[in-house]
């Protein structure tokens, strides 16, 4: 089980974003599987790194069920670092085309101090194979979710103070369609309920998949 302090810290510092850049992952996956079948050294080594990082992440999550707030914040920092490494490894696996330009711009801006004079995130990357265009971010300790929008959609005052040029402004305008969401750790998880139905009915109608209700 996770410590209450860690759950609270994750709930404060996790952010999901829809990048509006979904893409077909089939070609990327085919390339990865082909390279894995050939046992290319880069792929084999990267898979080993992914496994090691996954194990480190699990250890970080459950290392202290009685963690206090300060310890929990340190745990979240390490989780963010794991997420960033995970995203770099996935790019090695799938090649540079795995990271859309918009995603690269977002992560670069949020890691820089150019606009708000602070690092907004400690880690981030696309979820899964990246085809859905959903990005997960771990905020820095002293940041809140609205800091993401402030960094990506700065006010005129912030733009002037940061000395942003026309090229920077054009890059920001390309991010305007993105949407951002707070998210919480789901302690219940996925539940599947099997229902008794008359013989001959469609089996695909015989189950109910539900997820813990999201709160605003």
């Amino acid at each position: 089980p996770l410590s209450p302090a860690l759950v609270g810290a994750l709930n404060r510092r996790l952010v999901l974003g829809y990048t509006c850049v979904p893409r077909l992952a089939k070609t990327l996956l085919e390339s990865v599987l082909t390279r894995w079948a050939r046992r290319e050294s880069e792929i084999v080594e990267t898979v080993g790194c992914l496994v090691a990082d996954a194990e480190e992440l699990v250890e970080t999550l459950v290392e202290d069920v009685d963690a206090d707030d300060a310890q929990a914040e340190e745990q979240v920092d390490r989780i963010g670092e794991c997420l960033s490494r995970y995203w770099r490894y996935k790019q090695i696996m799938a090649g540079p085309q795995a990271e859309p330009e918009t995603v690269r711009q977002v992560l670069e801006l949020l890691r820089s101090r150019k606009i708000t004079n602070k690092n907004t995130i400690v880690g981030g990357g696309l979820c899964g194979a990246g085809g859905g265009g959903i990005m997960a971010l771990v905020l820095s300790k002293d940041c809140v979710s609205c800091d993401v929008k402030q960094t990506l959609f700065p006010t005129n005052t912030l733009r002037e103070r940061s000395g942003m040029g026309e090229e920077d402004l054009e890059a920001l305008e390309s991010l305007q369609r993105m949407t951002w969401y707070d998210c919480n750790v789901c302690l219940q998880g996925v539940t599947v309920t099997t229902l008794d139905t008359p013989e001959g009915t469609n089996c695909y109608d015989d189950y109910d998949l539900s997820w813990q209700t999201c709160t605003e």
Side-chain angles (χ1 to χ4, degrees):
L2 306 183
S3 70
L6 178 57
V7 171
L10 285 170
N11 288 345
R12 288 192 304 275
R13 295 175 59 181
L14 280 176
V15 176
L16 288 180
Y18 176 53
T19 65
C20 296
V21 193
R23 55 179 171 72
L24 185 63
K26 177 183 177 182
T27 304
L28 296 179
L29 295 175
E30 286 178 346
S31 173
V32 172
L33 291 174
T34 298
R35 296 177 68 193
W36 173 255
R38 293 172 180 166
R39 289 298 188 271
E40 293 184 12
S41 59
E42 184 179 50
I43 290 293
V44 174
E45 290 173 6
T46 304
V47 169
C49 290
L50 284 167
V51 172
D53 250 23
E55 292 173 345
E56 179 183 338
L57 180 59
V58 171
E59 291 174 2
T60 300
L61 287 169
V62 300
E63 68 181 7
D64 188 354
V65 295
D66 297 316
D68 58 25
D69 290 344
Q71 292 170 317
E73 296 293 351
E74 292 177 0
Q75 286 176 277
V76 176
D77 285 340
R78 297 204 301 275
I79 291 169
E81 293 167 2
C82 278
L83 179 59
S84 288
R85 289 197 301 270
Y86 160 80
W87 179 232
R88 289 198 297 271
Y89 293 146
K90 288 208 296 186
Q91 291 177 72
I92 293 173
M93 296 280 288
Q97 68 272 27
E99 183 175 55
E101 178 63 17
T102 300
V103 173
R104 186 197 65 76
Q105 290 175 340
V106 168
L107 293 176
E108 185 177 286
L109 281 168
L110 293 176
R111 289 194 180 103
S112 74
R113 296 172 178 265
K114 187 170 186 178
I115 297 176
T116 57
N117 295 320
K118 61 182 178 182
N119 297 320
T120 308
I121 62 171
V122 293
L126 289 181
C127 301
I134 302 297
M135 178 185 291
L137 302 175
V138 179
L139 299 173
S140 297
K141 178 181 177 181
D142 297 323
C143 290
V144 292
S145 58
C146 63
D147 289 328
V148 172
K149 294 181 180 179
Q150 187 179 50
T151 301
L152 298 179
F153 317 125
T155 61
N156 291 332
T157 301
L158 280 175
R159 292 181 181 186
E160 293 171 1
R161 190 167 62 194
S162 62
M164 296 178 68
E166 288 300 320
E167 185 176 335
D168 296 316
L169 294 178
E170 289 177 6
L172 286 176
E173 287 174 2
S174 70
L175 310 179
Q176 296 295 317
R177 293 186 303 157
M178 297 183 66
T179 53
W180 299 95
Y181 307 90
D182 294 332
C183 59
N184 292 332
V185 175
C186 180
L187 299 177
Q188 175 183 340
V190 176
T191 60
V192 179
T193 304
T194 302
L195 307 174
D196 293 329
T197 56
E199 186 176 351
T201 58
N202 190 333
C203 64
Y204 293 105
D205 296 329
D206 293 349
Y207 70 91
D208 175 37
L209 182 64
S210 62
W211 186 260
Q212 180 171 318
T213 302
C214 297
T215 56
E216 295 294 335

